[in-house]
């Protein structure tokens, strides 16, 4: 078995179809099938459930896929480090960002980074903190920038804390709640809530204030732009960081909502930004430089 066979298995798992996977790795469909069969023979197990009408890996196939992805990621990381050993004149950087860091912090830091290291190829994946954690464990990304509270107590993770950001509720300018005074958080029960996936501690804080068992989101989106567009064209109430909303407030595009039973500065509603990487794993020079730019921009945004 070799890394090429593992890459074929990963492509098959990603595309869930032999024809599409073969095209993705520039092979004919029979050649890809032979590669998977050879890998199965070498490992002494069946990787693909062929009796099912839908594509499905066997339990052993899932196990092999997990290790295959790690080996492929490790191989790519080695090549990157070797390419970057004598300076950041080539190589790749793969990292992830939560929806709100992706609005201001990450783009500003990226602009600084690519002006200094234009030859580095970058792949930025945007997802919520839980999905990013999975990508980090699978070594699909070197680090992530997101709410870091769930990672701080994880021994497998190393966390570099950044400044927390205030969370705010917002609505369109002519929303029924926009002009009401003395609002209580319970007023939100009459309207849909649209947001990205909330960290559990924020959901609990909001549920406690409302006096309900669970703070329910009506529409969960991965990207902030989708949240904003839904809010702008409906009676939905959105949740985002003040940093992400700042330009929209200045443009007069939205209204911020204030509640008498919860402070806008309530620490429980903060998003605790952090840079999370795998503990005990060295970062490539490109990742180290990118993180340094993130930290520098984070401090600049405070001023």
């Amino acid at each position: 078995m070799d890394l090429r066979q593992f890459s074929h298995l990963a492509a098959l798992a990603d595309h869930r179809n032999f024809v599409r996977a073969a095209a993705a790795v520039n092979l004919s469909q029979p050649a890809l099938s032979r590669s998977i069969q050879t890998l199965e023979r070498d490992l002494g197990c069946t990787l693909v459930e062929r009796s099912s009408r839908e594509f499905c890996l066997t339990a052993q196939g899932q196990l092999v896929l997990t290790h295959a992805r790690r080996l492929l990621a490790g191989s790519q990381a080695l090549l990157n480090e070797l390419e970057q050993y004598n300076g950041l004149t080539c190589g790749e950087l793969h990292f992830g960002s939560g929806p709100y860091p992706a609005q201001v912090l990450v783009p500003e830091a990226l602009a600084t980074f690519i002006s200094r290291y234009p030859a580095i190829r970058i792949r930025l994946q945007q997802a919520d903190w839980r999905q990013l954690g999975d990508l980090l464990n699978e070594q699909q990304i070197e680090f992530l920038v997101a709410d870091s509270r769930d990672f701080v107590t994880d021994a497998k993770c190393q966390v570099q804390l950044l400044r927390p950001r205030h969370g705010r509720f917002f609505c369109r300018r002519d929303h029924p709640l926009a002009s009401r005074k003395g609002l209580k958080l319970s007023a939100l029960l009459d309207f849909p809530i649209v947001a990205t996936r909330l960290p559990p501690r924020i959901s609990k804080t909001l549920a406690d204030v409302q006096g309900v068992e669970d703070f329910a989101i009506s529409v969960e989106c991965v990207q902030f732009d989708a949240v904003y567009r839904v809010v702008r064209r409906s009676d939905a109430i959105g949740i985002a960081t003040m940093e992400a909303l700042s330009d929209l407030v200045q443009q007069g595009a939205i209204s911020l909502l204030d509640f008498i039973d919860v402070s806008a500065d309530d620490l429980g509603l903060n998003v605790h930004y952090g840079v999370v990487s795998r503990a005990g794993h060295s970062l490539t020079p490109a990742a180290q430089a990118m993180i340094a730019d993130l930290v520098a921009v984070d401090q600049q945004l405070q001023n």
Side-chain angles (χ1 to χ4, degrees):
M1 59 183 174
D2 56 34
L3 287 177
R4 184 175 57 181
Q5 292 172 318
F6 285 143
S7 70
H8 296 166
L9 178 63
L12 183 58
D14 290 339
H15 294 279
R16 304 183 64 80
N17 177 280
F18 274 90
V19 175
R20 292 194 297 268
V25 295
N26 296 315
L27 287 178
S28 68
Q29 188 269 326
L32 177 65
S33 295
R34 287 195 297 271
S35 177
I36 299 299
Q37 290 167 358
T38 300
L39 183 59
E40 289 178 319
R41 184 192 64 209
D42 292 344
L43 294 173
C45 64
T46 300
L47 303 177
V48 180
E49 181 57 71
R50 292 176 175 83
S51 62
S52 173
R53 298 180 63 180
E54 297 293 330
F55 173 82
C56 180
L57 292 177
T58 64
Q60 291 164 310
Q62 291 286 357
L63 176 62
V64 173
L65 176 64
T66 298
H67 286 274
R69 291 196 189 281
R70 289 174 180 168
L71 288 169
L72 291 167
S75 174
Q76 185 60 56
L78 173 60
L79 292 175
N80 281 337
E81 289 196 55
L82 289 173
E83 287 179 334
Q84 298 166 21
Y85 188 78
N86 294 317
L88 298 179
T89 57
C90 59
E92 296 184 355
L93 170 62
H94 299 170
F95 73 101
S97 173
Y100 298 119
Q103 292 303 302
V104 180
L105 173 62
V106 170
E108 292 288 340
L110 271 174
T112 300
F113 181 89
I114 63 175
S115 67
R116 294 190 294 138
Y117 309 113
I120 299 295
R121 299 181 301 277
I122 298 171
R123 186 177 72 190
L124 170 64
Q125 299 200 51
Q126 184 175 329
D128 64 54
W129 88 100
R130 188 171 297 168
Q131 294 167 324
L132 291 174
D134 291 339
L135 291 174
L136 186 69
N137 288 332
E138 294 171 359
Q139 300 185 28
Q140 299 300 301
I141 55 176
E142 281 200 71
F143 66 89
L144 64 90
V145 188
D147 189 281
S148 60
R149 282 176 289 187
D150 281 3
F151 299 102
V152 171
T153 57
D154 189 338
K156 299 189 299 294
C157 294
Q158 177 174 303
V159 179
Q160 182 170 354
L161 293 175
L162 302 174
R163 291 185 301 107
R165 267 63 172 182
H166 293 308
R168 294 297 302 270
F169 290 92
F170 68 101
C171 60
R172 69 172 197 272
R173 290 297 302 274
D174 58 347
H175 191 280
L177 294 183
S179 59
R180 282 177 53 180
K181 305 297 182 183
L183 278 176
K184 290 189 175 183
L185 200 63
S186 58
L188 298 181
L189 295 173
D190 296 328
F191 299 94
I193 303 294
V194 56
T196 62
R197 177 180 286 179
L198 295 179
R201 298 183 189 184
I202 291 181
S203 294
K204 184 178 187 308
T205 296
L206 295 172
D208 289 345
V209 174
Q210 280 191 333
V212 295
E213 184 174 343
D214 183 41
F215 183 80
I217 294 179
S218 307
V219 181
E220 185 176 281
C221 304
V222 173
Q223 297 182 333
F224 169 70
D225 184 63
V227 173
Y228 167 60
R229 289 178 181 274
V230 172
V231 168
R232 189 180 64 180
R233 298 178 63 85
S234 72
D235 280 346
I237 304 295
I239 308 174
T241 63
M242 190 60 222
E243 186 173 84
L245 298 173
S246 179
D247 287 347
L248 296 174
V249 173
Q250 292 179 15
Q251 296 164 12
I254 60 171
S255 292
L256 298 177
L257 295 176
D258 293 310
F259 301 93
I260 60 174
D261 52 350
V262 59
S263 169
D265 296 327
D266 190 324
L267 295 180
L269 301 181
N270 283 354
V271 179
H272 291 244
Y273 282 10
V275 178
V276 183
S277 58
R278 293 184 298 276
H281 290 255
S282 61
L283 294 168
T284 62
Q288 294 176 40
M290 184 69 230
I291 292 172
D293 285 337
L294 284 164
V295 172
V297 170
D298 182 57
Q299 294 303 313
Q300 293 169 11
L301 292 173
Q302 187 174 20
N303 301 325

